[in-house]
Amino acid sequence: MREAAREPRKEAHVTMRRADKTAAFVLIDTEEYHSKLDLILGDSSKFEKLSYNPIEEIKREANKRIEKINAATNAVHFQIITGDLSPGYLYGNVKTHKNGNPLRPIISQGLTPTYHLPKRLNSLLTSYIPNVHSVASSTEFLGKLKGSPTSGTIASL
């Protein structure tokens, strides 16, 4: 069974992607997959084509702010950003439940310069948020929205 699943990977004209919102995999023609990604990237309201790699500039700017924050407090420290980093990369999961099987764009940010900053901020901020005002999942959140009239501010961390 495992060998059968590996077989399509040997075909250059076939791309294997995870189906959106399910554990299944989809085989899609590589040209079709790339054209769907190009269509997503071509949306200038969401993406801007850069003629340079901004990673060093982002690291420099973030490190300036980190040094300023670290100098201002003895209690909270952020790690300086170092190492070989890269821009995020785009891939798409196939929406098998929609006509034409469009892609759900996903930008992987694991090797980007600021990847760890939000995680650190989240760990600092969550201790100040009372559990009585928190939800554990998006399903619980939607249930609360549907269940009763709400007032006030809604924030997501």
Side-chain angles (χ1 to χ4, degrees):
M1 185 71 149
R2 287 179 191 246
E3 188 57 38
R6 289 186 187 120
E7 196 63 33
R9 293 182 192 172
K10 296 175 185 174
E11 300 292 327
H13 67 279
V14 175
T15 297
M16 184 184 299
R17 291 292 332 139
R18 185 175 289 278
D20 192 43
K21 299 182 180 181
T22 173
F25 285 88
V26 175
L27 300 178
I28 183 171
D29 180 78
T30 300
E31 280 187 37
E32 179 184 355
Y33 177 74
H34 286 172
S35 70
K36 288 179 179 189
L37 284 178
D38 287 343
L39 191 64
I40 292 167
L41 287 171
D43 184 350
S44 61
S45 70
K46 294 183 179 89
F47 296 98
E48 177 184 351
K49 187 171 185 168
L50 300 178
S51 59
Y52 67 99
N53 184 343
I55 296 301
E56 290 305 316
E57 182 183 331
I58 293 169
K59 275 173 44 175
R60 195 170 35 258
E61 193 62 39
N63 282 335
K64 275 188 212 175
R65 293 171 192 232
I66 289 169
E67 287 170 357
K68 205 181 244 187
I69 291 167
N70 287 346
T73 181
N74 290 328
V76 176
H77 285 284
F78 289 87
Q79 220 172 349
I80 295 294
I81 300 167
T82 60
D84 253 351
L85 302 166
S86 63
Y89 65 89
L90 176 79
Y91 64 94
N93 286 349
V94 182
K95 295 182 180 184
T96 56
H97 57 284
K98 295 207 174 177
N99 289 338
N101 300 117
L103 300 180
R104 176 175 305 282
I106 300 168
I107 300 175
S108 178
Q109 298 184 34
L111 295 174
T112 61
T114 56
Y115 177 72
H116 294 287
L117 289 177
K119 290 180 179 292
R120 177 75 172 118
L121 282 171
N122 187 55
S123 71
L124 293 169
L125 295 174
T126 51
S127 63
Y128 294 100
I129 299 169
N131 285 341
V132 70
H133 300 298
S134 298
V135 292
S137 68
S138 57
T139 305
E140 184 182 347
F141 175 70
L142 290 173
K144 285 191 180 284
L145 285 179
K146 291 176 184 174
S148 64
T150 59
S151 64
T153 303
I154 297 174
S156 173
L157 294 176

